[in-house]
Amino acid sequence: MPNVPAETIALITGANKGIGFEVATQLAQRGVFVLVGARDETRGREAVDTLLAQGLHAALVVIDVTDDDSIARAAGEIDGRYGQLDILVNNAGISGGAGGSPSEITRARMRQVYETNVFGVVAVTNALLPLLRRSAAGRIVNLSSGLGSLTLSSDPASEFGRYTYLAYQSSKVAVNAITVAYAKELRANGIKINAADPGFTATDFNNHRGYRTVEQAAVVAVRLATLPADGPTGTFQDENGPVPW
Ligand SMILES: NC(=O)c1ccc[n+]([C@@H]2O[C@H](COP(=O)([O-])OP(=O)(O)OC[C@H]3O[C@@H](n4cnc5c(N)ncnc54)[C@H](OP(=O)(O)O)[C@@H]3O)[C@@H](O)[C@H]2O)c1
């Protein structure tokens, strides 16, 4: 198990359950102090208590990624308490509901999904970047999806070739583009940012229809969150390596 420098601090958004909670667990098991990001204080507190009961180091940060005031409060709280951040995992995401043809989608549905999955990632990243710049090894991981691969979703032979989840798929394509754009700006600062594809995973997100476990899903995000100094930036990866854009 790779180790991490002492006092490494990570914020994981949407970490009260699902893949985010497992990423928090696996990072904490590697010695990282994890800030469990949760929009609901009660659900977040329960998640933190579960980690503390395992002897892991964790604290709660209430953060709703669609709410600029909430994001600013969370950033101010982390600054005041710790003065820096080493790892940011932009995990919070919504599907916006399954099905519906592109021709039937509404502006409201598009906005709802983009508020969380796209604008939320940018707003949270920008609010936390001043703290990440103070880290000796800042790392950002954006949770993307195989559905965000244009190569795979336009290939009828791929498992993603048959889906037409316009809002969700295009939001994850945007997450990939966001990852590439930040990588260019942050390369000079030594901050690495990569997109992670966790695979189709059994969580509330898909009523537990996924065929992968959260333990498997978290592996790639944890690896990208703990990359060494010579690790990549601006990539899209699953646990086996690069995923086509
Ligand atoms: N499961 C899969 O098969 C799969 C595949 C590819 C990619 N992903 C991606 O992986 C990430 C995690 O998915 P998951 O399967 O773990 O989903 P999940 O079990 O539904 O968990 C989603 C988490 O995001 C939080 N969240 C939603 N909206 C939020 C907001 N506005 N502010 C803060 N937190 C918010 C939820 O909080 P509440 O509990 O308060 O709702 C929850 O903690 C998502 O980005 C998803 O797109 C999942």
Side-chain angles (χ1 to χ4, degrees), residues 75 84-85 88 121-135 138-140 182 185-186 189 191-193:
Q84 74 173 61
L85 186 67
L88 168 64
V121 171
V122 174
V124 171
T125 301
N126 285 351
L128 273 312
L129 263 177
L131 299 181
L132 285 157
R133 288 184 200 277
R134 293 183 202 151
S135 169
R139 303 286 180 261
I140 304 171
Y182 275 105
E185 181 182 349
L186 300 176
N189 302 85
I191 298 175
K192 297 182 190 301
I193 176 165

Side-chain angles (χ1 to χ4, degrees), residues 4-12 24 27-36 48 51-52 56-61 78 81-82 84-87:
V4 292
E7 315 254 272
T8 296
I9 302 172
L11 171 68
I12 304 100
L27 283 173
Q29 287 168 343
R30 281 160 178 73
V32 174
F33 182 72
V34 295
L35 303 177
V36 171
V48 170
L51 295 174
L52 294 177
L56 300 171
H57 294 152
L60 173 65
V61 170
I78 297 169
R81 276 201 245 155
Y82 314 105
Q84 74 173 61
L85 186 67
D86 302 289
I87 297 169

